[in-house]
Amino acid sequence: MRALLLVDIQNDFMPFGALPVAGGDEIVPVANALILRSGLVVATQDWHPVEHGSFASAHVGASPGDRVLLGGIDQMLWPDHCVQGTPGASFHSALDVAGIDRVVRKGSDPAIDSYSGFFDNDHRTATGLGEFLESHAVDEIVVLGLATDYCVRATVLDAVGLGFGVTLVTDGCRAVDATPGDGDRAIAEMHAAGVRVVESSHV
Ligand code: VGL
Ligand code: ZN
């Protein structure tokens, strides 16, 4: 069984959002077209409490782009984003949310970030996504969303580690590219891990 996995298609990652990803809104039609063609659709939602440890604002004297240790792990600091219950945490208004079967929220523990839809960054706490997919006999996932170099990358690499076959939809992803080339390097890393990398017309 194959499932479509939509990663963090939320307002704060759109060009008008708090943590803007260039071209982030261009993936919404790609997602909607694939939702129509998919049997099981799961979406992740970055879902932070106020003063989450990944926010620069939660660290005295820090700015977005600085790095700290969070939960013992190297952590990039971000502008406040995807705060639980705020408009920025909502899915893009044009996303076909009626076609989504299950939403998995992540990043709710203030003491650790969760780029992956499967586990917190320390891999100690699971979100329930893996169990949900297994309970539906899913062995193959098609992934797209935001951002290529953070949550898409982490989600895809965890999926490979869990034994899922993974297809990455390149025109359905956009990167933060904090360092130019980060998105392309993430795609190369996923490809090297055994991921099938295709455009949506080839899914
Ligand atoms: C993400 C940075 C911080 C993402 C989430 O969805 O890629 N990036 N939180
Ligand atoms: Zn986040």
Side-chain angles (χ1 to χ4, degrees), residues 74-119:
D74 178 62
Q75 172 73 46
M76 165 91 109
L77 294 181
W78 302 104
D80 292 17
H81 65 277
C82 298
V83 174
Q84 296 172 5
T86 64
S90 296
F91 293 119
H92 188 289
S93 60
L95 185 67
D96 176 12
V97 291
I100 297 172
D101 298 297
R102 172 81 163 215
V103 175
V104 174
R105 290 172 167 170
K106 63 186 180 64
S108 302
D109 179 349
I112 188 87
D113 210 354
S114 184
Y115 290 150
S116 165
F118 290 95
F119 300 101

Side-chain angles (χ1 to χ4, degrees), residues 173-186:
C173 296
R174 293 292 186 280
V176 172
D177 278 338
T179 300
D182 279 354
D184 289 341
R185 278 186 289 276

Side-chain angles (χ1 to χ4, degrees), residues 2-146:
R2 187 158 91 163
L4 178 67
L5 180 56
L6 309 171
V7 177
D8 298 3
I9 307 183
Q10 295 167 259
N11 288 324
D12 273 341
F13 300 124
M14 297 298 155
F16 51 82
L19 201 172
V21 179
D25 49 348
E26 295 166 7
I27 73 162
V28 175
V30 178
N32 287 341
L34 284 176
I35 288 171
L36 288 176
R37 297 171 39 201
S38 302
L40 185 69
V41 181
V42 184
T44 64
Q45 194 172 25
D46 212 32
W47 194 249
H48 298 308
V50 289
E51 296 186 12
H52 187 263
S54 73
F55 296 170
S57 63
H59 303 265
V60 177
S63 306
D66 291 350
R67 310 195 78 105
V68 296
L69 274 185
L70 185 66
I73 294 168
D74 178 62
Q75 172 73 46
M76 165 91 109
L77 294 181
W78 302 104
D80 292 17
H81 65 277
C82 298
V83 174
Q84 296 172 5
T86 64
S90 296
F91 293 119
H92 188 289
S93 60
L95 185 67
D96 176 12
V97 291
I100 297 172
D101 298 297
R102 172 81 163 215
V103 175
V104 174
R105 290 172 167 170
K106 63 186 180 64
S108 302
D109 179 349
I112 188 87
D113 210 354
S114 184
Y115 290 150
S116 165
F118 290 95
F119 300 101
D120 286 358
N121 287 358
D122 63 3
H123 281 86
R124 277 186 217 169
T125 307
T127 61
L129 174 60
E131 292 79 355
F132 176 79
L133 295 174
E134 276 160 28
S135 73
H136 287 265
V138 172
D139 53 2
E140 209 190 318
I141 60 173
V142 176
V143 183
L144 61 84
L146 305 172

